[in-house]
Amino acid sequence: LMQGQGCIVGVGAMDYPAEWQGASPEAVARAGVSKVLTLTSTYDHRVIQGAASGELLKVMHHKLTGIDGFYERIFTSIRMPHAPVTWQRDVDIDDSRELPKAARIAEMIHAFRSRGHLQADTDPLAYRQRRFEDLDFTSHGLTLWDLDRTFPTGGFAGTEALTRR
């Protein structure tokens, strides 16, 4: 906004879309449905023009989805040793032709067991951000939409299945 301009931003509840609020958690996870935050803005035409209000909502959208590297800058500024989970499209895998997601999760677990310690910040004198492609779940064909999906564990932790979260 320019100096002297103002607007009112309304923030609604954060919840699943109405058509999914009655669905089971498993159905929501399988479909990759996430909670939605509704932002609206209104303005006084004497103070701000409609196009500027729309631009503000566009900037907010880019920040919240991480399009402009917003979360990356936050993680770097607080010295977080790994990349933030950012918004991306779900990956649909054909199990008959590609490695199933359960196998991809097993690969990711193996990567953390064998190389996860390399990402630790162990130098007390200087901070150096260490990131390894193999420790990023997106390099294994997984997305944030897989966090709440259930996958077989092969008996790990005494259970037959767990969510990726």
Side-chain angles (χ1 to χ4, degrees):
L1 297 175
M2 300 170 88
Q3 189 169 355
Q5 292 182 332
C7 78
I8 299 169
V9 176
V11 179
M14 180 181 251
D15 207 346
Y16 291 106
E19 62 273 18
W20 286 95
Q21 289 182 9
S24 70
E26 293 80 16
V28 169
R30 250 190 332 273
V33 176
S34 69
K35 291 184 177 182
V36 175
L37 173 68
T38 304
L39 288 178
T40 61
S41 74
T42 187
Y43 49 89
D44 183 338
H45 288 285
R46 296 170 295 178
V47 179
I48 187 174
Q49 298 300 313
S53 178
E55 274 298 313
L56 174 66
L57 291 176
K58 179 181 175 184
V59 168
M60 293 298 294
H61 172 74
H62 285 183
K63 297 271 185 227
L64 293 174
T65 55
I67 291 172
D68 67 347
F70 177 67
Y71 298 111
E72 185 72 34
R73 290 191 305 274
I74 289 174
F75 273 49
T76 299
S77 70
I78 61 173
R79 299 169 48 157
M80 188 67 67
H82 53 82
V85 175
T86 56
W87 189 94
Q88 65 189 81
R89 292 192 184 279
D90 196 8
V91 175
D92 191 29
I93 294 176
D94 181 2
D95 290 344
S96 66
R97 292 183 291 145
E98 299 174 289
L99 196 58
K101 285 193 177 187
R104 293 166 187 251
I105 287 177
E107 286 179 344
M108 186 181 70
I109 290 169
H110 175 72
F112 270 94
R113 284 180 171 165
S114 58
R115 292 176 292 289
H117 66 283
L118 299 174
Q119 193 165 296
D121 180 17
T122 57
D123 187 347
L125 302 177
Y127 171 73
R128 190 178 75 219
Q129 203 163 34
R130 297 168 184 90
R131 293 190 179 161
F132 297 91
E133 187 71 23
D134 200 26
L135 300 179
D136 182 1
F137 65 88
T138 59
S139 67
H140 294 278
L142 302 167
T143 67
L144 71 115
W145 306 108
D146 294 320
L147 284 172
D148 294 317
R149 291 179 177 151
T150 302
F151 296 98
T153 62
F156 178 74
T159 63
E160 291 302 312
L162 288 171
T163 63
R164 200 189 111 220
R165 188 178 301 277

